[in-house]
Amino acid sequence: MSASSGEGRPLRAGVVGLGWAGQQHMAAYADLDRVELVGIAGMEAEPLARLGKLYDVEHRVATWQELIEQADLDVVSVATPTVLHAPIAIGALNAGVHVLSEKPMAETAPVAATMVAAAEANDRVLDVSFNHRMRGDIQALKKIIDAGLLGSIYYAKAGWLRREGIPGLGTWFTRAATAGGGPLMDIGVHMLDMALYLLGEPQVRAATAATYAEFGPRGKGGSPYGPRRDTPGAQFDVEDLSTAFLRLADGGTLLLESSWAQWIPHDQCYLAVYGADGGASVEWGGEPKEPYRKLSIWTEISGVAAELNPTPPPDRGHRGCVEDFLAKVRSGDYAAHRGVTPMARAVVVDACYASAEAGREVTLDGGTAS
Ligand SMILES: NC(=O)c1ccc[n+]([C@@H]2O[C@H](COP(=O)([O-])OP(=O)(O)OC[C@H]3O[C@@H](n4cnc5c(N)ncnc54)[C@H](O)[C@@H]3O)[C@@H](O)[C@H]2O)c1
């Protein structure tokens, strides 16, 4: 860890991974005060040179090991294929560097637990970038729920469904050995995170889930947006749709669905909560040309039925994740930030895959979030 990380000095930041996710972290570090982006790592020579120049980065290296060895970092973001999150995070933590990992935290909960153990052993911060909970509408709804406007919430539904959005047929995303799973692991985990965050972190007691792969194995369902990364005939051994029914310790239930490809009119995301005194939904999606998003509340005011459409604050996105991570690092209270809540997400995801595999309900022991 850098000797320059004392009070008031800029933190030295690095980013591993040059893809879309890594670039969000780079932009945030480059823009925020009291932190300097001093190193980036990734295997692709052209973006390494281009991004290194864009952000005037001192250390531009191919591997995460070189970054940790050479750049004298205080903090690092990990934005690589999922199975590399744990080895990189643990390597960085062992070198005394605080870590912000991209989601999903790891390919399984036991692997995520090894990351938490490394954060504990080295007394460092371990955080996971769940940027969707930084949406303005989710933050507004959180305040409304916490103020008690909806009463006690007993049912919730969350889904991220894509019409055609497999993120590169044949890339690391569609192979279990590198991604750990399909849309549940990739985008469903965002919906799970937002739902449990809004519900106040109830323990998940049981999961009944099913997974399907109807598009990917036939070479269909690749994303029409952005550069195509599909490899014809490439391996696809994860699901392309998952559905799960989760029983919560407080008696509530949560329905969670996610798909990379499905016969629907357009991409759609929704998160709905139903309480004793009111319901609410956040919806977004549509075609890139015609996106929509809406926050709605249904309740009663003095016995009169009312629909409210509050005006949310701006989205904080990845910049918000990086900002909050740096605040945790600067707080000095590392013990409160060891990645335990994101690990609990991994426990639920594991239970869903286990249920789908077994074809029956799976109960969770120790799915505690804190
Ligand atoms: N939060 C979000 O909204 C969001 C969106 C997209 C991706 N992600 C997550 O971010 C991560 C990366 O996704 P992506 O789409 O940017 O992937 P990507 O495939 O575009 O980029 C992965 C990067 O990792 C680098 N890499 C691989 N092995 C490396 C090593 N040994 N040392 C250094 N670098 C190495 C590659 O060179 C590449 O630059 C994944 O975990 C993904 O789930 C999150």
Side-chain angles (χ1 to χ4, degrees), residues 16-21 41-44 62-64 79-82 84-85 102-104 131 172-173 190 229 318:
V16 186
L18 308 172
W20 185 87
M43 304 290 190
E44 302 81 10
T63 67
W64 65 269
T80 59
T82 302
L84 291 175
H85 292 180
E102 260 303 332
K103 51 49 65 178
N131 50 305
W172 66 265
F173 275 102
H190 277 300
R229 303 196 285 182
H318 271 92

Side-chain angles (χ1 to χ4, degrees), residues 8-13 26-37 75 319 322-324 326-327 330:
R9 306 239 186 94
L11 294 166
R12 293 174 61 84
M26 290 175 205
Y29 287 124
D31 196 43
L32 288 165
D33 292 335
R34 294 194 295 142
V35 61
E36 282 172 21
L37 181 63
V75 298
R319 184 190 163 96
V322 171
E323 223 169 1
D324 289 2
L326 294 174
R330 292 193 182 105

Side-chain angles (χ1 to χ4, degrees), residues 293-307:
R293 60 188 295 172
K294 194 171 182 188
L295 167 62
S296 312
I297 312 287
W298 298 277
T299 186
E300 285 180 342
I301 300 174
S302 302
V304 180
E307 177 173 345

